[in-house]
Amino acid sequence: MDDQLTNAVPVHPASTVLTGLRLDELLREVQDRLNEILQTRDRMQGLLDAVLVVGSGLELDTTLQRIVQSAVDLVDARYGVLGVLAPDGGISRSIHVGLHEEIRALTGPLPEGTGLLGQLVVDPPPPRPPEPGSPPASVELPADRSPMRSFLGVPVRVGDSVFGNLYLTEKADGGEFTADDEVVLEALAAAAGIAVHNADLFEQGLLRQQWLEAAGEIRSELLSGASDADALRLIAQRALELAGADRTVIVLGPDPVDGQFTVGAECGPEEPGVLGRRLAPDVPLLSEVLESRNPVLAIATGDLLDGLEVSLPQYGPTVAVPLQPSEKVTGVLIALRREGAEPFQPGGIPLLASFADQAALALELGEKNRAQRQLGVLADRDRIARDLHDHVIQRLFATGLRLQSTLRRARTPDVRQRIQQSVDELDLTVREIRTAIFDLHTTIGRVESGLRRRLLDTVADANVGSGLSSSVRISGPVDTVVPPDLGTHVVAVVRETVSNVVRHARARSLVVSIEAGKELTVEVSDDGVGLDPAAVRSGLRNLEERVLECGGVFTARTEPAGGTTVRWTVPLP
């Protein structure tokens, strides 16, 4: 036992210390690994949270703002910007985080995607911070900006195309962005691309629904009886709102005779009044639309609006789409934006073109419905006129003949006078019914300019709102035997006389009689207060001058029973 104790190897204190040091190192390495695992877990959790946040919305602007904010939070950057690419490769708009308006005003405009950021479009791997001494063209910051100490950027892809560039600057701790930061940002960019695609699809669907609702509104208006002018105005207004334009103009044509276009509707904040003006057919933009029958997108209006001869604001981006319900172009819908404004995007043109086609189809359908309704009205008018002529007038004639035969048998003067008065009233009634029959046969556009129609409209317009009980009796072929120059005098005489009755006579009823035979006679009678001898007779003097010019006779007298009778007679050629 003593020998064993004597032969035991002694433990050196230094060996114990070295073993403890190695154990501490191992524990520290384990601790560092655990910290790395925890950091990686936290970062992955942050990435998952960021992906959920980015994909939680369907509005594009809100989604873009969430992408930039999540990227800044994930890699501890001070500033972040997402530049959305324009069709020409530039930056159409920028969404930024960490840049206050005061700082932006001092630093100038944001990068436009032509230097280092432009590499994100053609070079998929994210560019690293520029090395010291690198060529100036590779750094895309203005000369008056502060030096960029750290930079990290990735492209945001939607499908196979680059939607925009997401880039971050200035690591919060003053260091450089790491490879882990690149991996995290690339993962976020992939999720952002999906979110942007979904938000874009949502907005496209919403916009398509709005266009369809606008087209349905126009169809409803036309089917409910709205005029073409009202429908065109509504089309211009809805196109202005949905296309984000500053002005819309609808030109109709081309005219089959001279090929010119006519402005049928306009809409905008300032309307200088180009409605009804003519445009020459040789305007390049209109010519291109007519020849191609397809929408035309332009960066400037060119000489499109020069032929209007009206001072208009300066316009830049322009889109013109044809109105073609079938194979024939019936007009062009033109949307304009102010000079310097964002151009129209090609993706929105098909919606505008579809809206224009549906609007043109609705106009054609509305025209057919109006024509069908008018045919129904004309058919009813023909039936009523036929019944009046075949039944009512014949019965009145028969009644008049019986009264005239009874008149010869009457012995009492008072009875004879009453029978004769009844016969005269029946004759007057027959003439009024004939006038009504002619009025029923009058169709819009066919006898619109006839003297009979003009006289009826003149009495109605001069008498509107007066409360007078008026009647118009027209006998004889006034539309055929009265020359145009004499017809102008007759319309003026009737308008002047009826206006005098309405303003001065204080009458309850008014009778206008026009008879065309060997002479043309216009007689206007009322039951008012009669002529005032002390009144200024400028209106009567005008009637006298007209009748003298035509070689006729004019009289105006106060009736014994009250009222005034004006008689204007001129010979017919």
Side-chain angles (χ1 to χ4, degrees), residues 171-184:
K171 187 80 170 176
D173 56 2
E176 298 290 345
F177 291 109
T178 64
D180 291 339
D181 292 333
E182 292 182 16
V183 173
V184 169

Side-chain angles (χ1 to χ4, degrees), residues 9-207:
V9 178
V11 179
H12 197 280
S15 175
T16 304
V17 172
L18 291 175
T19 302
L21 289 177
R22 286 196 296 271
L23 180 60
D24 291 341
E25 290 178 359
L26 290 174
L27 290 175
R28 279 196 297 270
E29 288 183 9
V30 171
Q31 184 67 35
D32 291 341
R33 294 292 179 88
L34 289 176
N35 290 335
E36 289 179 2
I37 292 173
L38 291 175
Q39 291 177 359
T40 302
R41 185 202 65 180
D42 293 340
R43 173 160 284 193
M44 291 302 100
Q45 184 62 46
L47 177 60
L48 291 176
D49 293 341
V51 170
L52 291 176
V53 169
V54 167
S56 61
L58 288 177
E59 294 183 359
L60 184 59
D61 292 338
T62 304
T63 299
L64 297 180
Q65 190 69 35
R66 287 173 176 168
I67 291 172
V68 183
Q69 185 64 57
S70 299
V72 169
D73 295 339
L74 279 175
V75 300
D76 294 329
R78 293 182 60 188
Y79 308 118
V81 178
L82 174 60
V84 180
L85 294 182
D88 59 357
I91 300 295
S92 63
R93 59 173 172 164
S94 296
I95 297 90
H96 58 88
V97 169
L99 295 177
H100 300 291
E101 295 300 328
E102 295 80 2
I103 299 177
R104 290 193 59 187
L106 293 175
T107 57
L110 291 171
E112 297 181 356
T114 55
L116 179 61
L117 300 180
Q119 296 179 8
L120 299 180
V121 182
V122 296
D123 188 12
R128 298 308 307 273
E131 298 294 336
S134 59
S138 66
V139 181
E140 193 196 338
L141 294 176
D144 58 347
R145 290 193 179 179
S146 302
M148 182 175 60
R149 290 185 293 271
S150 58
F151 171 84
L152 182 62
V154 294
V156 177
R157 295 181 176 274
V158 176
D160 295 332
S161 61
V162 176
F163 172 80
N165 301 328
L166 175 62
Y167 58 96
L168 307 172
T169 62
E170 300 299 320
K171 187 80 170 176
D173 56 2
E176 298 290 345
F177 291 109
T178 64
D180 291 339
D181 292 333
E182 292 182 16
V183 173
V184 169
L185 197 59
E186 284 182 331
L188 178 64
I194 298 174
V196 167
H197 182 60
N198 292 336
D200 186 60
L201 289 178
F202 174 76
E203 290 200 351
Q204 288 293 328
L206 185 62
L207 184 60

Side-chain angles (χ1 to χ4, degrees), residues 50 176 273 276 363 456:
E176 298 290 345
L363 286 172
L456 292 172

Side-chain angles (χ1 to χ4, degrees), residues 357-416:
D357 290 342
Q358 293 186 47
L361 185 61
L363 286 172
E364 185 178 23
L365 179 61
E367 179 65 26
K368 290 182 178 179
N369 287 337
R370 282 193 298 273
Q372 187 174 1
R373 287 196 299 267
Q374 188 172 356
L375 286 175
V377 171
L378 293 178
D380 288 340
R381 287 182 176 183
D382 288 338
R383 179 182 55 79
I384 294 171
R386 185 171 59 252
D387 291 343
L388 288 174
H389 182 272
D390 296 344
H391 301 289
V392 178
I393 289 183
Q394 300 304 323
R395 290 178 181 177
L396 291 175
F397 267 127
T399 303
L401 290 176
R402 285 196 297 268
L403 288 175
Q404 285 180 346
S405 64
T406 305
L407 180 62
R408 291 193 294 268
R409 302 177 183 178
R411 297 292 184 264
T412 306
D414 184 49
V415 174
R416 293 175 61 87

Side-chain angles (χ1 to χ4, degrees), residues 252-563:
L252 303 177
D255 189 279
V257 178
D258 55 12
Q260 289 192 331
F261 290 86
T262 304
V263 178
E266 62 171 339
C267 187
E270 301 173 358
E271 297 186 7
V274 299
L275 192 65
R277 292 183 178 269
R278 307 275 282 177
L279 279 173
D282 56 353
V283 177
L285 186 63
L286 295 180
S287 301
E288 186 175 353
V289 173
L290 287 180
E291 293 174 1
S292 65
R293 296 183 179 179
N294 290 316
V296 175
L297 192 63
I299 59 174
T301 59
D303 56 356
L304 171 64
L305 304 178
D306 293 344
L308 295 177
E309 300 178 354
V310 174
S311 178
L312 292 172
Q314 293 296 321
Y315 291 104
T318 305
V319 59
V321 296
L323 297 173
Q324 46 181 358
S326 54
E327 296 182 356
K328 181 182 178 182
V329 176
T330 59
V332 179
L333 171 60
I334 305 168
L336 307 166
R337 286 179 180 170
R338 292 293 182 89
E339 192 174 22
E342 181 181 351
F344 290 98
Q345 299 300 323
I349 304 305
L351 291 176
L352 182 60
S354 176
F355 171 74
D357 290 342
Q358 293 186 47
L361 185 61
L363 286 172
E364 185 178 23
L365 179 61
E367 179 65 26
K368 290 182 178 179
N369 287 337
R370 282 193 298 273
Q372 187 174 1
R373 287 196 299 267
Q374 188 172 356
L375 286 175
V377 171
L378 293 178
D380 288 340
R381 287 182 176 183
D382 288 338
R383 179 182 55 79
I384 294 171
R386 185 171 59 252
D387 291 343
L388 288 174
H389 182 272
D390 296 344
H391 301 289
V392 178
I393 289 183
Q394 300 304 323
R395 290 178 181 177
L396 291 175
F397 267 127
T399 303
L401 290 176
R402 285 196 297 268
L403 288 175
Q404 285 180 346
S405 64
T406 305
L407 180 62
R408 291 193 294 268
R409 302 177 183 178
R411 297 292 184 264
T412 306
D414 184 49
V415 174
R416 293 175 61 87
Q417 182 181 358
R418 291 185 179 182
I419 293 176
Q420 184 61 49
Q421 184 179 359
S422 299
V423 171
D424 294 340
E425 289 180 357
L426 285 175
D427 184 56
L428 181 60
T429 303
V430 168
R431 282 189 291 175
E432 290 179 349
I433 291 176
R434 283 177 174 171
T435 300
I437 291 174
F438 181 85
D439 193 37
L440 287 171
H441 283 297
T442 300
T443 58
I444 298 175
R446 184 164 59 97
V447 199
E448 184 72 22
S449 60
L451 180 57
R452 185 186 297 266
R453 180 74 265 166
R454 290 162 58 195
L455 290 171
L456 292 172
D457 292 341
T458 299
V459 175
D461 293 341
N463 188 32
V464 63
S466 65
L468 276 173
S469 175
S470 61
S471 62
V472 183
R473 303 164 183 171
I474 302 176
S475 60
V478 293
D479 287 327
T480 56
V481 301
V482 179
D485 54 346
L486 181 57
T488 303
H489 286 292
V490 174
V491 172
V493 167
V494 171
R495 182 184 298 110
E496 179 71 28
T497 308
V498 175
S499 298
N500 287 338
V501 173
V502 171
R503 288 180 295 174
H504 307 299
R506 288 181 285 176
R508 295 186 302 273
S509 62
L510 171 71
V511 178
V512 179
S513 301
I514 300 100
E515 183 176 357
K518 293 182 179 180
E519 296 177 328
L520 178 64
T521 301
V522 177
E523 185 176 280
V524 180
S525 302
D526 66 77
D527 59 353
V529 297
L531 295 174
D532 184 2
V536 179
R537 301 188 176 186
S538 58
L540 296 180
R541 188 179 307 111
N542 182 28
L543 299 180
E544 290 176 351
E545 291 175 356
R546 288 183 180 275
V547 81
L548 291 176
E549 183 179 345
C550 298
V553 178
F554 168 74
T555 59
R557 67 179 186 273
T558 300
E559 299 294 340

